Amino acid sequence: MSQKTVRLTMAQAVARFLTRQMTVIDGNKVPIFGGVFAIFGHGNVAGVGEALHGIKDALPTYRAQNEQGMANAAIAFAKASFRRRFMACTTSIGPGALNMVTSAALAHVNRLPVLFLPGDVFANRRPDPVLQQVEGFADGTISANDCFRPVSRYFDRITRPEQIIPALRRAMQVLTDPADCGPVTLSLCQDVQAEAYDYPEAFFDEKVWSSRRIEPDADELAAAIAALKAAKSPVIIAGGGVLYSEASKALAAFAEKHGVPVVETQAGKSSLPHSHPLNMGSVGVTGTSASNQLAEAADVVLAVGSRLQDFTTGSWALFKNEGLKIVGLNVQPFDAAKHEGLPLVADARVGLERISAGLGNHKVDTAWTDKAKAGKTEWLKAADKATATTNAALPSDAQVIGAVQRARGSADTVLVCAAGGLPGELHKLWQAETPGGYHMEYGFSTMGYEVAGGLGTKLARPDSDVIVMVGDGSYMMLNSEIASSIMLGAKITIVLLDNAGYGCINRLQMATGGANFNNLLADTHHVELPQIDFAAHAGAMGALTRKVGSISELESALKETAGEARTTVIVIDTDPLVTTDAGGHWWDVAVPEVSERAEVNAARKGYEKALASQRFG
Ligand SMILES: Cc1ncc(C[n+]2csc(CCOP(=O)(O)OP(=O)(O)O)c2C)c(N)n1
Ligand SMILES: [Mg+2]
């Protein structure tokens, strides 16, 4: 059999292949790759760079400022697209490539698809060692890119041009697989990028990908139905999998029909509208009192699309019911069986529908649902109090959240955040009405994700009002994609809360008995305290900026700049010490067993007491 072939470089084959991968969104066929972020250097400019130029009308290339930033933007694009679409990122070798490793881990933890195409050293080894080559004394096959291996769902190094055929096929399979989904790294040796090969034309045939919905196994389904039928006090934990499965309607129908209250993880928040009577809000360490009192009493927890990380489970001290049963409804068996759960390996939407059908008209005793509703009413009073404006000299994060909500909270808003004190406050207090209206990267909680994440979100959802809330610490770590957002005309609004340091870590330090040390700028070793003019800094990158002096000024600024086409940064000074007392739960942070500090010894006593309520499973 003679196959029709086309002679291309390996990099040209990659580029052409990417343009042929499609998916269907709302009935329209669209490219599954939303674009390529690229920072060129030796190792990708000649090979991949030439190839991307050749296809730039079919697949746009975006020039970013920092590899970690662009990778975070690409990952945010996938998250905001509910994993239906994703992006590729290409870098030079060495430092350019390694700048993406943190992002690879971020995507790995959060189960988000992204295709990394770092350049690699010469496969033929003739010019070795090339600039930026890491030389292993004992292993000739090692390059810097081996760092991607533990944080990639699929890693491959391309040392011959024809290897790209199976590698790209496998890459697409991983990127589109709901269970194995995560970062793929194809490490492209620079000489091989430029090498020509006669590729089969069929390799470039258009392929339309759809999302697989896994049906449950009959025995697992029967066990899950039996557990829920017997439950007196069931609770549903809605994780990110609910959003990725677009299962919000099925979840609402399930909760209403069977009277089961829903609590939300950081990744799962916005699964149900905040106003839904059975949405109890956030759960766990940053949970509402409404959610946590139900979780404490629950005899059956139906965990839907959740990794059950420590913030969700209160480090496994949250659930107090002796006979607790966890039903793990998850596409990934690894997650479904956690903590001796009854696994129900299935797509979230399909799983909810099948359990519901099995339950028929079974409904939990109304006393349990009424308790939930009463708890929510109580919580909403506490939340209103926390977000209301006072005449304190410095506002709290909660008050800033209240202002952003009042000024710009709508069905079109997407709130983006990742690290610092804000995720906890937002988890408790932000009121999201639309699925995906809350975009929190809290699997890895990576400082510096916020601004870049806002950019990626805007690229995925150009019609949304993307609002980034970020602390001064996170902003200082990575802010340069503000310039990219200006270049791309991708308007985001950044609310920067300046409390002059790492407020949340300072509070954690105090809570564990530590001295105030090296977190707030005032507590650092310094010759001069930095007085950072954040508005001037962001303005220098082209953003519109405002520095506001109060909550009411913030609200006005947010309203006035809503219609602006340009990325806007609004800076407000905040109190580093105040957080919302209501709600919340203990979190396991190991306190030193011996110390010369009396405060540490006291904290250790409290810690040991708390450990006693931890379930070990
Ligand atoms: C890349 C990275 N480095 C360190 C941390 C640990 N960390 C978590 S929050 C935080 C401080 C965040 O400061 P800021 O953004 O100002 O928020 P604040 O705590 O003041 O609300 C630190 C250092 C992290 N999550 N990510
Ligand atoms: Mg801060």
Side-chain angles (χ1 to χ4, degrees):
M1 189 190 93
S2 73
Q3 269 181 318
K4 266 198 168 174
T5 58
V6 50
R7 192 157 179 80
L8 298 169
T9 68
M10 179 267 270
Q12 289 161 359
V14 172
R16 186 177 290 202
F17 180 88
L18 296 188
T19 64
R20 301 294 154 90
Q21 310 306 307
M22 313 295 281
T23 191
V24 176
I25 308 276
D26 298 333
N28 300 316
K29 193 167 73 175
V30 293
I32 202 162
F33 283 92
V36 182
F37 272 112
I39 293 183
F40 296 145
H42 101 91
N44 72 335
V45 69
V48 170
E50 189 268 349
L52 289 177
H53 178 259
I55 51 120
K56 70 182 183 355
D57 294 334
L59 186 66
T61 293
Y62 303 128
R63 155 73 149 76
Q65 320 306 320
N66 171 292
E67 290 88 354
Q68 186 179 147
M70 76 183 188
N72 289 351
I75 294 163
F77 176 91
K79 183 173 167 75
S81 306
F82 297 145
R83 314 198 299 188
R84 297 289 184 274
R85 299 184 71 210
F86 31 80
M87 298 181 83
C89 295
T90 175
T91 69
S92 56
I93 79 164
L98 290 199
N99 269 356
M100 291 201 299
V101 172
T102 304
S103 305
L106 185 163
H108 193 274
V109 169
N110 286 285
R111 319 280 168 84
L112 290 167
V114 59
L115 177 61
F116 293 124
L117 301 171
D120 208 333
V121 296
F122 279 73
N124 68 28
R125 305 196 186 168
R126 278 202 299 263
D128 281 13
V130 297
L131 174 72
Q132 300 168 326
Q133 179 163 349
V134 173
E135 294 181 278
F137 293 163
D139 186 345
T141 69
I142 292 284
S143 89
N145 288 356
D146 286 286
C147 296
F148 281 95
R149 287 179 190 271
V151 286
S152 296
R153 287 260 172 253
Y154 168 51
F155 175 92
D156 209 342
R157 177 172 286 119
I158 307 303
T159 57
R160 292 183 57 87
E162 63 269 42
Q163 286 172 352
I164 203 68
I165 297 173
L168 279 171
R169 291 214 189 283
R170 171 75 182 136
M172 287 308 298
Q173 189 254 311
V174 171
L175 292 167
T176 58
D177 186 316
D180 286 347
C181 183
V184 170
T185 303
L186 300 182
S187 189
L188 308 179
C189 291
Q190 78 155 282
D191 51 340
V192 187
Q193 286 176 35
E195 209 173 317
Y197 181 78
D198 294 312
Y199 289 94
E201 275 191 357
F203 179 57
F204 305 106
D205 284 351
E206 184 179 285
K207 169 111 181 137
V208 183
W209 296 89
S210 63
S211 203
R212 185 180 303 127
R213 290 199 180 273
I214 298 165
E215 289 283 342
D217 167 77
D219 289 346
E220 287 186 358
L221 179 61
I225 293 167
L228 278 150
K229 219 170 219 168
K232 298 265 176 293
S233 48
V235 167
I236 296 173
I237 295 180
V242 173
L243 292 168
Y244 301 143
S245 154
E246 295 178 272
S248 291
K249 273 195 191 139
L251 177 62
F254 188 106
E256 288 158 25
K257 185 164 184 206
H258 308 296
V260 184
V262 176
V263 300
E264 295 179 325
T265 71
Q266 283 278 21
K269 188 174 164 87
S270 77
S271 289
L272 288 185
H274 170 265
S275 52
H276 191 286
L278 286 168
N279 183 359
M280 300 295 118
S282 58
V283 67
V285 176
T286 53
T288 67
S289 53
S291 292
N292 284 353
Q293 68 175 11
L294 295 179
E296 273 187 22
D299 57 358
V300 173
V301 167
L302 173 57
V304 188
S306 173
R307 298 166 49 237
L308 296 174
Q309 66 136 308
D310 62 350
F311 264 75
T312 300
T313 63
S315 303
W316 290 106
L318 174 61
F319 311 110
K320 304 260 189 278
N321 193 315
E322 276 290 315
L324 172 73
K325 261 200 190 112
I326 296 170
V327 178
L329 167 51
N330 208 295
V331 275
Q332 174 52 258
F334 179 87
D335 295 308
K338 277 178 180 168
H339 277 256
E340 288 183 278
L342 286 175
L344 180 59
V345 178
D347 168 72
R349 189 162 96 193
V350 172
L352 285 166
E353 286 168 357
R354 299 288 177 275
I355 301 173
S356 185
L359 288 174
N361 288 327
H362 174 81
K363 200 162 186 172
V364 177
D365 196 290
T366 47
W368 176 243
T369 323
D370 290 347
K371 178 182 155 92
K373 288 181 179 166
K376 182 166 181 182
T377 308
E378 272 308 296
W379 166 255
L380 290 179
K381 280 188 217 152
D384 278 351
K385 207 170 145 209
T387 50
T389 314
T390 61
N391 53 10
L394 281 177
S396 65
D397 288 3
Q399 289 168 338
V400 173
I401 291 167
V404 176
Q405 185 90 52
R406 290 189 293 274
R408 295 276 280 275
S410 80
D412 296 328
T413 310
V414 181
L415 196 290
V416 180
C417 188
L422 279 165
E425 296 294 275
L426 286 163
H427 194 207
K428 282 182 185 175
L429 302 169
W430 185 255
Q431 303 179 358
E433 288 299 321
T434 319
Y438 181 80
H439 180 127
M440 181 67 67
E441 190 285 285
Y442 212 65
F444 217 42
S445 190
T446 313
M447 288 173 77
Y449 176 85
E450 297 88 343
V451 169
L455 170 61
T457 302
K458 186 67 181 176
L459 293 179
R461 296 180 169 219
D463 299 331
S464 293
D465 184 19
V466 176
I467 302 195
V468 173
M469 290 187 74
V470 61
D472 55 310
S474 260
Y475 179 89
M476 285 300 283
M477 218 171 259
L478 196 50
N479 52 60
S480 49
E481 301 317 324
I482 286 178
S484 310
S485 80
I486 306 283
M487 285 163 68
L488 295 174
K491 186 245 170 109
I492 54 177
T493 300
I494 299 166
V495 181
L496 195 164
L497 291 81
D498 182 6
N499 59 10
Y502 299 158
C504 70
I505 308 297
N506 178 57
R507 293 192 299 272
L508 184 59
Q509 188 168 48
M510 291 191 285
T512 50
N516 297 61
F517 172 58
N518 203 47
N519 282 308
L520 298 183
L521 292 174
D523 301 325
T524 58
H525 183 99
H526 60 265
V527 176
E528 189 181 323
L529 262 187
Q531 302 288 337
I532 302 161
D533 185 342
F534 288 102
H537 181 269
M541 282 187 276
L544 290 176
T545 62
R546 299 269 184 103
K547 171 84 199 252
V548 296
S550 67
I551 289 292
S552 63
E553 270 185 44
L554 171 63
E555 270 186 76
S556 307
L558 282 163
K559 283 182 191 148
E560 284 161 23
T561 57
E564 294 285 358
R566 178 173 281 268
T567 287
T568 305
V569 179
I570 305 176
V571 184
I572 184 165
D573 291 342
T574 52
D575 191 325
L577 297 175
V578 184
T579 51
T580 303
D581 288 333
H585 187 274
W586 174 75
W587 180 37
D588 189 346
V589 174
V591 180
E593 206 168 348
V594 292
S595 171
E596 286 174 8
R597 284 179 60 80
E599 296 90 333
V600 172
N601 295 330
R604 175 74 196 188
K605 273 204 180 120
Y607 176 63
E608 283 171 9
K609 221 167 127 197
L611 284 179
S613 58
Q614 214 169 23
R615 300 165 59 90
F616 195 46

